């Protein structure tokens, strides 16, 4: 059974008498542990699709089945639980609290979880270590480079041990070297830990880290193909 199944999904934004279709009759599935890139130009509908997949928005029509259950059958409480425990989100703009340390930022999702407080620091340190930032754990997040901030955001997304990571343009604010480091981390989460990854990007080079790329154009699926020449994730420890 696929982890994610989308059937004839449509999203229409209405403003007065004006109706703007953002997604048109989209259908695809994602298996557990699969690394899928969703690629398209600005305004193609890819971020709208991610928001629906992450239960941050609802479709106008069509079906979204997550782990065997229809989106429409989830209660608001169940959706909140999914977003906190099962989903990890990584956004282009990092969304770190600047006056808090790296470790304090990573602990934040645990405050809203059912994890015992006695485990918070240990779990946060493990997540920080997994992105190669142990030496920065007690630094204020405002003093980090862009690449380091995104690695903190990945650690924060990992701290609740989510089933799936949604990454929306994770390299969009980074230089090419920092972006490569971030993508190597994300690829290792797929290859070494078996996590399901949904990556939103407009960059061909970034998408090449995925196993499969779904191209979106004008709100519709243009192509859905396996990546022939995939970038390899390096096994070196990131400094």
């Amino acid at each position: 059974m696929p982890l994610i199944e989308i059937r004839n999904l449509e999203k229409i934004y209405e403003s007065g008498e004006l109706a703007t279709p953002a997604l048109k009759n989209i259908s695809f599935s994602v298996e557990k542990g699969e690394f899928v890139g969703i690629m398209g130009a600005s305004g193609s509908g890819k971020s709208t699709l991610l928001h629906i997949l992450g239960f941050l928005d609802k479709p106008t029509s069509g079906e979204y089945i997550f782990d065997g259950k229809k989106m429409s059958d989830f209660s608001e409480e169940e959706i909140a639980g999914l977003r906190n425990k099962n989903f990890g989100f990584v956004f282009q703009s990092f969304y770190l609290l600047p006056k808090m340390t790296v470790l304090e930022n990573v602990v934040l999702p645990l405050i809203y979880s059912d994890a015992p407080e006695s485990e918070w620091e240990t779990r946060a340190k493990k997540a920080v270590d997994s992105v190669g930032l142990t030496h920065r754990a007690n630094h204020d997040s405002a003093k980090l480079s862009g690449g380091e901030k995104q690695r903190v955001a990945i650690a924060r997304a990992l701290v609740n041990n989510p089933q799936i990571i949604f990454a929306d343009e994770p390299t969009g604010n980074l230089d090419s070297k920092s972006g490569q480091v971030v993508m190597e981390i994300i690829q290792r989460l797929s290859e070494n830990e078996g996590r399901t990854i949904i990556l939103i990007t407009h960059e061909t080079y970034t998408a090449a880290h995925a196993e499969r790329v779904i191209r979106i154009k004008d709100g519709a699926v243009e192509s859905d193909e396996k990546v022939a020449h995939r970038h390899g994730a390096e096994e070196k420890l990131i400094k």
Side-chain angles (χ1 to χ4, degrees), residues 33-221:
E34 196 172 7
F35 184 174
V36 177
I38 298 175
M39 191 176 172
S42 178
S44 61
K46 60 187 187 300
S47 289
T48 298
L49 178 57
L50 179 132
H51 287 157
I52 292 172
L53 295 176
F55 282 73
L56 300 170
D57 196 1
K58 294 181 179 179
T60 304
S61 62
E63 282 189 343
Y64 174 18
I65 301 167
F66 180 79
D67 211 8
K69 185 173 179 176
K70 291 181 182 179
M71 185 186 211
S72 55
D73 291 339
F74 282 89
S75 68
E76 290 301 318
E77 186 178 355
E78 286 174 323
I79 288 171
L82 269 181
R83 287 197 297 245
N84 182 255
K85 299 173 187 175
N86 296 67
F87 298 166
F89 294 94
V90 179
F91 295 103
Q92 179 176 339
S93 299
F94 320 132
Y95 297 119
L96 303 182
L97 296 180
K99 295 182 180 179
M100 298 180 78
T101 67
V102 166
L103 205 59
E104 287 167 342
N105 268 283
V106 175
V107 163
L108 281 174
L110 295 171
I111 296 171
Y112 304 99
S113 74
D114 52 11
E117 190 173 350
S118 58
E119 293 181 7
W120 290 358
E121 186 174 350
T122 300
R123 287 175 62 166
K125 284 181 176 178
K126 182 180 178 183
V128 170
D129 182 58
S130 74
V131 297
L133 285 178
T134 299
H135 61 299
R136 296 283 202 198
N138 296 311
H139 282 60
D140 286 347
S141 59
K143 298 177 181 177
L144 302 178
S145 68
E148 288 171 333
K149 287 177 181 177
Q150 193 59 290
R151 285 152 68 183
V152 176
I154 294 171
R156 183 182 57 195
L158 289 174
V159 76
N160 269 328
N161 194 28
Q163 193 173 9
I164 183 168
I165 297 284
F166 294 103
D168 191 359
E169 298 281 8
T171 63
N173 283 336
L174 307 179
D175 60 61
S176 58
K177 184 177 179 181
S178 297
Q180 175 67 14
V181 170
V182 164
M183 288 313 304
E184 286 172 3
I185 291 171
I186 291 173
Q187 190 168 341
R188 281 204 300 274
L189 295 176
S190 167
E191 293 181 345
N192 296 357
E193 299 182 21
R195 294 185 197 273
T196 307
I197 311 286
I198 304 291
L199 167 73
I200 299 291
T201 184
H202 66 278
E203 300 168 330
T204 302
Y205 184 83
T206 301
H209 286 269
E211 298 171 79
R212 168 184 163 207
V213 173
I214 299 170
R215 293 179 185 270
I216 305 288
K217 184 178 181 180
D218 298 329
V221 173

Side-chain angles (χ1 to χ4, degrees), residues 1-67:
M1 179 179 67
L3 179 62
I4 286 172
E5 193 168 358
I6 296 291
R7 298 175 182 169
N8 307 315
L9 203 73
E10 298 203 342
K11 179 67 178 181
I12 299 171
Y13 292 106
E14 295 186 5
S15 178
E17 295 182 0
L18 183 65
T20 305
L23 297 175
K24 306 169 188 174
N25 197 34
I26 287 184
S27 299
F28 63 85
S29 61
V30 177
E31 300 295 331
K32 291 177 182 176
E34 196 172 7
F35 184 174
V36 177
I38 298 175
M39 191 176 172
S42 178
S44 61
K46 60 187 187 300
S47 289
T48 298
L49 178 57
L50 179 132
H51 287 157
I52 292 172
L53 295 176
F55 282 73
L56 300 170
D57 196 1
K58 294 181 179 179
T60 304
S61 62
E63 282 189 343
Y64 174 18
I65 301 167
F66 180 79
D67 211 8

